[in-house]
Amino acid sequence: MTIISARLCDRFGRKPILIAGIAGAMLFAYPMLLLVQGGTVVGFTIAVMVAQGIQGVILGPLAAFMAELFPTSVRFTGASLCFQGAATLGAGFSPAIAAALVVAAGGSIALLGGVWIAALALCLLAVVVTREGRRRDLAGIA
C-alpha cells in the first residue's frame, strides 16, 4: 500500500491521499479494537492486516509531504526532526497511554477509541490547513 499510495500522491497530490488514509484510520479505529478485543487469531490477523494497509496509505505520501514543508536549505533536517520526533513520542508513549486509557475506562475500549479518533482528527486538520506542495517550486519554498 505504501508504494501504491506514493505513486498516487505523485499523480493526485499528497493531501488527498493523506486525507483518505487518515479518514480510513478514523473509520477503522473502533472495528479494529473490537476485532483485537475479540481474542481470536483470525480477528487479530484481520485487524493487523487492514491497519497495516491503512498505515501504508498514510506513509506513502508522508515523506514528500513533510519535506515540502521546508525550504531546500533545511529540508532534510526539518523533515527528519519532525518524523523522528513524532515517531519517538508517538511510538514510545502510545502503548502506555493506550493501556492507561483502557484501565481508566474499566476495561472498555470506548475511551481508547475516542482518544485515537481525536488524535487522528487533529492530524487530519493539520493536513487540511497545510498547503499542497506537489506543484510548488522546491527552491521557492521558504
Side-chain angles (χ1 to χ4, degrees):
M1 288 308 299
T2 302
I3 294 168
I4 293 168
S5 68
R7 294 286 307 249
L8 289 172
C9 87
D10 286 339
R11 182 176 207 155
F12 300 109
R14 285 68 162 118
K15 286 178 64 168
I17 307 304
L18 281 169
I19 289 168
I22 294 168
M26 291 172 74
L27 291 173
F28 190 61
Y30 276 116
M32 182 188 68
L33 291 171
L34 290 171
L35 285 167
V36 170
Q37 192 178 38
T40 67
V41 172
V42 172
F44 181 80
T45 302
I46 291 169
V48 169
M49 290 178 69
V50 173
Q52 289 298 305
I54 292 170
Q55 183 177 358
V57 172
I58 295 169
L59 289 177
L62 190 60
F65 180 79
M66 286 195 309
E68 292 167 348
L69 297 174
F70 299 95
T72 54
S73 62
V74 295
R75 177 159 294 142
F76 185 80
T77 302
S80 182
L81 285 173
C82 285
F83 189 81
Q84 300 307 323
T88 300
L89 294 174
F93 294 111
S94 62
I97 293 168
L101 289 170
V102 171
V103 168
S108 170
I109 60 166
L111 181 59
L112 173 59
V115 170
W116 197 347
I117 291 170
L120 287 165
L122 287 174
C123 294
L124 183 63
L125 178 64
V127 170
V128 168
V129 300
T130 304
R131 288 180 52 191
E132 172 69 61
R134 183 171 65 111
R135 296 196 190 272
R136 292 171 58 196
D137 178 23
L138 294 179
I141 297 174

